[in-house]
Amino acid sequence: MARVTLRNLAAHKIRLVLTAVAVILGVAFVAGTLVFTDTMNKRFDDLFDRVGQNVAVDVRSVKVVDSGGPDDSARPPLRESVLATVKNVPGVKDPVGTVDGYAALVGKNGKVVGTGQNGPPQLGTNWTGDGIARLASGRAPAAPGEVVVDKASAKKAGYAIGDGVTVLVKSGPQRATLVGTADIGDMMGATLVAFDTTTAQRLLLKPGYYSEIRMGSTGPDEATLRDRVAKALPSGTEAVTGAKLRDENKSAIASIMSFFRTFLLVFALISIFVGAFIIFNTFSMLVAQRTRELALLRAIGAARAQVTRAVIGEAVAVGFVGSTLGLLAGIGLAELLQSTTGSGGSLTFTATPVIWSYAVGIVVTVVSAYFPARRAAKVPPVAAMRDDVALPQRSMRIRLGVGSLLTLAGAALMGLGLFGHVSNPAVPVGAGAFAVFLGVALLAPVISKPVVRVLGWPFARLLRTPGRLARQNALRNPRRTAATASALMIGLALITAVNVLGSSMRSSVESQVDKQFGADYVIEPTGGGGLSPELVAKVKKTDGVTAAGAVYAGNGKVSGKRVAYSAGDTAEMLSGTRAKVVAGSAALPRDGMLVDEDTAKHNAWSVGSSVPMLFPDGRTETLKIAGIYAKNDFLGPRVISEGAYLAHTANPSVEVIIVTAHKADAATKHALEQSLSARPDVKVQDQAGLKADARKQVDGFVTFLTILLVMSVIIAAVGVINTLALSVIERTREIGLLRAIGISRRQLRRMIRAESVVIAVFGAVLGIGIGVAFGAALQHALRKEGLNVLSIPVGTLVTYLVVAAVIGVLAALWPAWRAGRMDVLKAISTE
């Protein structure tokens, strides 16, 4: 039977190559993701090993309140006196205080190097001669007005050693001289600006303070030295070994890369799931076309198990070849991902991508081919003596029952995840979506008959005979039509759901801006450093401005749980956000707090309630509820006074500045922009600008997800080509008879193109319908998170229908050309 398997592979090369394309694309996605994330993990591991190679002990403040992210921004800074203390501990070698903060380099073109809020970090630090940076050229900064910049950023900005440069920090632009460049390894486009220690403290942190203190050892092991240092430290500080510091840094990056890997693998698995439909369809058709051949094998003594193994052997071969080519394509994809992230260097190869590539490719192919193989084994030997033999088909009743059950169960699981109280809603939602797709795919043959009749009607009217034949061909084998359409359905369903969700996000944000944005302008940073409180005074002096208030953001702990709050000029905040106080007073004393209705109800608070809040500096302050306001997405759930925030924050940072003007016109906006012209990392926005910015962010998110899902649509298009090509071969004699009775080549090609369009549009109709339902369910589940407007992008969905029709036309080009070139006499004589 091995020879039979090899002969069949050689006899159906083109058909199996098309099938392998589905495997190649899916495996490439998996392999590329794994190779890229392995490379990034290895690169960051090497970086942190390099950073901490001489660190035996690290001293830092205790993190009382988590910032909600992987960084250490929630740790209060250390006083310089701590450095003097650790210098006297026996065994300590070369202790040094480090200062970390935000510093952005402005290029000669006046633009900030880097890509703003969503781009790579813009790091400011003090030069210590150790850590991330190594001097590449020039010298270290030794006085105020001198800086070292990483060599990649210096090149992007157009600077050479000795040039005057502009550096943006939270307090404003700083002029300095570039005295050296640094090698910081591969940090995926991050920029680094290093000052002397005194200047770094003044500009990035606070005079007389360090972010942390690192030291080596003169002999004691890390654990022993850590214990010695810990005994000498004041309360509120801690000492950790260098090994723990390195592990923490690696763990933080590993968690980010793990999320990124999982995120991409989800889309890879969607592509593979779509490919499974194509593989199943292809092997089903191949088995159907070889019914007589299989019957002959049974007649000459082949057992059922041998026939099954022969077909499975073909699947293994296709899976192996597809996995191999997919792995190679995945390496290219990893290179592409690396280049788009601004990262260079060679890729890291481990056994993991290889193992998973072959496991996924071969297993999916074999599983998809298993049922056609079982069906092939059931062909009776007597069938070899008949001309009209066909494979037995199961009753549609079983499909109808199982499909209905899966669809209902999937909908129930999705409802549980979206509306129920479960610890991890992603699991039931994902399982439910998978069940719904399987259920609808099983129901598709039943659905296809009435829908295809409707979709094929225009072709029957316009194209007459070719159109009627196309509709009948699509109806002839509803299982085949459904399997081909289901592959396209899955991709378009997910794309539609993403677009419905994106459109709802845009509409919800615009609605929130209209209802809750009462200020004339908002000033916010485009980088990650925040704004200095002193900038508020400058804004107030701008012509046309009547009032300006700072808004801060912070975290604290209430009843042991981390909570977020806003702080600032309460009057300006309430006015600028159109917040409505429903109980108590809007006047907020130094020890007061405002909360929204949901927060008050959840905690059983009322006006006058006392709430102990633990701040990041380790101190607890009891705040009294002064007022309760209606839910406001701009304010958030809590507001505390500016005085309370500043009392517990060593390095205050303004998130946004709310501005009210005499007249909100172009002249006032221009005056504000001129007043802030020295800050290219700051933008001024009015209501229209806020909406446009929100639309841009949502559109970018939707586009990114759509691009990832397009892979599944490409695989589905390959499936349409494969199905039509095999269908043409299957109907060779029929096509010859049609040509013999007078149908022209042009009419024949029209028939096949029309059939392809009907199948593609049927898949699109199913997908868009399911996608709208998924998107509406997600929007409903996220209403409390601010997604309170359901918006269905009808124009976009119509475009998708047109695109599906175009896919149908393009997919039919080769099969139609092949059918048109058939020799009539040979086709008629084909058995």
Side-chain angles (χ1 to χ4, degrees):
M1 295 304 290
R3 291 182 180 178
V4 173
T5 300
L6 293 174
R7 183 183 62 79
N8 286 332
L9 287 169
H12 307 105
K13 292 187 290 291
I14 296 177
R15 312 176 201 181
L16 295 175
V17 164
L18 286 172
T19 307
V21 169
V23 182
I24 292 168
L25 293 176
V27 169
F29 214 152
V30 172
T33 298
L34 294 175
V35 171
F36 175 71
T37 51
D38 282 346
T39 300
M40 290 298 101
N41 278 327
K42 177 65 165 58
R43 196 158 293 166
F44 279 110
D45 284 350
D46 292 343
L47 176 66
F48 289 126
D49 283 339
R50 170 185 171 185
V51 171
Q53 64 184 2
N54 297 320
V55 178
V57 174
D58 182 77
V59 174
R60 60 197 185 186
S61 296
V62 175
K63 186 187 286 188
V64 177
V65 179
D66 195 348
S67 64
D71 58 20
D72 275 351
S73 61
R75 296 186 188 275
L78 297 169
R79 293 181 181 273
E80 278 185 336
S81 58
V82 178
L83 178 59
T85 299
V86 300
K87 282 182 178 179
N88 297 321
V89 176
V92 168
K93 178 184 178 182
D94 300 328
V96 61
T98 62
V99 180
D100 301 313
Y102 163 78
L105 182 67
V106 180
K108 285 188 174 181
N109 59 1
K111 296 182 179 179
V112 178
V113 177
T115 54
Q117 276 179 324
N118 299 318
Q122 294 160 320
L123 308 174
T125 188
N126 62 320
W127 183 265
T128 62
D130 198 357
I132 295 176
R134 302 286 190 273
L135 199 62
S137 62
R139 62 175 178 83
E146 295 181 348
V147 294
V148 167
V149 175
D150 70 277
K151 60 183 182 181
S153 297
K155 183 178 180 181
K156 289 178 185 176
Y159 291 132
I161 293 176
D163 287 348
V165 302
T166 299
V167 178
L168 297 174
V169 296
K170 186 164 58 178
S171 58
Q174 307 292 320
R175 290 294 297 173
T177 301
L178 182 65
V179 297
T181 61
D183 177 14
I184 60 172
D186 184 7
M187 292 184 62
M188 299 179 67
T191 62
L192 180 76
V193 179
F195 306 86
D196 66 280
T197 297
T198 303
T199 303
Q201 289 173 322
R202 176 173 58 85
L203 296 177
L204 307 179
L205 195 58
K206 189 175 182 179
Y209 283 83
Y210 292 113
S211 299
E212 57 188 327
I213 298 170
R214 296 177 177 178
M215 64 207 73
S217 173
T218 60
D221 61 74
E222 290 187 354
T224 301
L225 186 59
R226 176 202 59 197
D227 294 340
R228 291 181 186 177
V229 171
K231 291 178 181 178
L233 293 177
S235 62
T237 56
E238 64 179 1
V240 297
T241 62
K244 182 178 180 181
L245 178 67
R246 291 185 289 273
D247 288 344
E248 286 178 352
N249 288 332
K250 291 177 182 179
S251 177
I253 293 297
S255 64
I256 295 172
M257 295 308 299
S258 176
F259 171 80
F260 184 67
R261 171 183 289 193
T262 303
F263 180 77
L264 290 180
L265 284 178
V266 166
F267 292 92
L269 292 175
I270 290 169
S271 298
I272 290 169
F273 182 49
V274 170
F277 282 87
I278 308 306
I279 297 165
F280 172 82
N281 215 23
T282 301
F283 276 93
S284 295
M285 296 180 73
L286 287 176
V287 167
Q289 291 173 17
R290 287 154 46 192
T291 301
R292 194 172 185 186
E293 173 189 327
L294 295 171
L296 283 170
L297 288 174
R298 295 277 288 115
I300 62 175
R304 285 187 175 185
Q306 288 178 303
V307 174
T308 301
R309 285 198 297 270
V311 178
I312 291 294
E314 295 178 35
V316 170
V318 171
F320 180 81
V321 173
S323 298
T324 303
L325 296 177
L327 179 59
L328 296 175
I331 294 171
L333 179 61
E335 284 279 10
L336 179 63
L337 285 171
Q338 186 172 235
S339 64
T340 56
T341 58
S343 180
S346 59
L347 296 174
T348 298
F349 297 98
T350 65
T352 303
V354 178
I355 293 171
W356 277 107
S357 294
Y358 282 104
V360 168
I362 294 175
V363 169
V364 169
T365 308
V366 169
V367 170
S368 302
Y370 175 75
F371 290 104
R374 285 290 304 274
R375 198 178 306 147
K378 294 179 180 179
V379 176
V382 71
M385 295 180 286
R386 297 172 55 190
D387 290 331
D388 60 344
V389 63
L391 287 174
Q393 298 284 349
R394 290 185 178 182
S395 170
M396 283 285 193
R397 293 179 181 177
I398 298 175
R399 293 181 70 105
L400 184 62
V402 176
S404 300
L405 185 63
L406 279 173
T407 304
L408 292 173
L413 281 171
M414 288 186 65
L416 176 65
L418 293 172
F419 310 109
H421 300 285
V422 292
S423 58
N424 188 2
V427 174
V429 168
F434 181 72
V436 167
F437 282 132
L438 284 179
V440 174
L442 288 172
L443 292 173
V446 180
I447 302 170
S448 67
K449 290 184 178 180
V451 176
V452 167
R453 283 194 179 94
V454 173
L455 294 176
W457 179 81
F459 293 100
R461 294 281 294 177
L462 294 173
L463 302 181
R464 299 184 181 277
T465 299
R468 287 194 295 272
L469 289 172
R471 182 167 63 169
Q472 290 304 316
N473 287 336
L475 288 168
R476 178 186 302 181
N477 193 329
R479 287 179 173 85
R480 180 188 305 168
T481 298
T484 307
S486 294
L488 191 60
M489 169 197 77
I490 296 167
L492 281 177
L494 295 171
I495 290 175
T496 299
V498 167
N499 277 268
V500 170
L501 200 60
S503 180
S504 299
M505 289 170 67
R506 284 190 294 269
S507 299
S508 297
V509 170
E510 291 178 2
S511 173
Q512 290 167 6
V513 171
D514 289 335
K515 293 178 180 178
Q516 300 178 5
F517 185 72
D520 294 313
Y521 302 101
V522 166
I523 298 171
E524 57 184 345
T526 57
L531 301 174
S532 169
E534 288 77 20
L535 194 63
V536 180
K538 186 174 183 179
V539 172
K540 286 181 178 179
K541 295 177 182 178
T542 304
D543 291 340
V545 172
T546 57
V551 178
Y552 305 90
N555 295 288
K557 271 188 177 180
V558 175
S559 300
K561 295 181 180 179
R562 182 178 68 85
V563 297
Y565 61 78
S566 300
D569 186 326
T570 311
E572 288 297 322
M573 290 173 67
L574 294 177
S575 172
T577 58
R578 293 178 179 168
K580 182 181 179 182
V581 177
V582 296
S585 171
L588 190 62
R590 161 67 181 74
D591 62 347
M593 180 166 66
L594 303 177
V595 296
D596 67 12
E597 291 177 296
D598 290 346
T599 303
K601 182 179 179 181
H602 178 75
N603 292 281
W605 292 338
S606 59
V607 175
S609 296
S610 295
V611 182
M613 179 179 286
L614 177 63
F615 287 89
D617 62 356
R619 291 186 290 164
T620 298
E621 184 170 343
T622 299
L623 304 176
K624 290 186 177 181
I625 304 296
I628 299 172
Y629 55 90
K631 184 177 179 180
N632 188 288
D633 294 292
F634 286 96
L635 279 183
R638 300 165 195 82
V639 177
I640 69 171
S641 69
E642 185 173 13
Y645 169 80
L646 295 176
H648 298 282
T649 307
N651 189 20
S653 179
V654 177
E655 294 288 314
V656 297
I657 301 174
I658 295 175
V659 180
T660 305
H662 284 295
K663 187 176 182 182
D665 55 12
T668 305
K669 186 177 181 182
H670 179 71
L672 283 168
E673 290 172 340
Q674 285 296 110
S675 176
L676 301 169
S677 59
R679 296 294 304 266
D681 60 338
V682 172
K683 61 182 177 182
V684 180
Q685 289 187 305
D686 54 13
Q687 190 176 82
L690 281 175
K691 290 181 180 180
D693 194 46
R695 283 195 296 269
K696 183 178 178 181
Q697 292 186 34
V698 172
D699 289 345
F701 173 72
V702 170
T703 301
F704 175 65
L705 293 183
T706 302
I707 289 172
L708 292 177
L709 289 167
V710 161
M711 182 72 78
S712 62
V713 176
I714 293 173
I715 293 174
V718 172
V720 176
I721 297 173
N722 214 5
T723 299
L724 289 173
L726 290 172
S727 179
V728 166
I729 295 170
E730 185 179 65
R731 304 199 305 254
T732 298
R733 190 175 186 182
E734 176 187 320
I735 290 171
L737 289 171
L738 287 173
R739 294 277 289 114
I741 63 174
I743 193 170
S744 67
R745 288 182 175 179
R746 176 177 294 181
Q747 288 176 313
L748 186 63
R749 288 194 291 266
R750 284 178 180 172
M751 178 190 76
I752 293 174
R753 285 196 294 267
E755 180 184 352
S756 178
V757 171
V758 167
I759 292 173
V761 173
F762 171 52
V765 168
L766 279 181
I768 290 172
I770 295 173
V772 169
F774 281 3
L778 287 169
Q779 180 274 328
H780 183 75
L782 296 171
R783 284 179 305 166
K784 292 184 178 180
E785 305 300 325
L787 202 65
N788 49 16
V789 178
L790 174 62
S791 175
I792 298 175
V794 176
T796 302
L797 302 186
V798 171
T799 302
Y800 288 156
L801 274 177
V802 174
V803 169
V806 172
I807 288 174
V809 172
L810 296 176
L813 290 178
W814 179 60
W817 174 82
R818 186 171 183 176
R821 288 178 58 85
M822 281 187 183
D823 183 275
V824 177
L825 293 178
K826 288 183 178 180
I828 293 173
S829 62
T830 300
E831 294 186 3

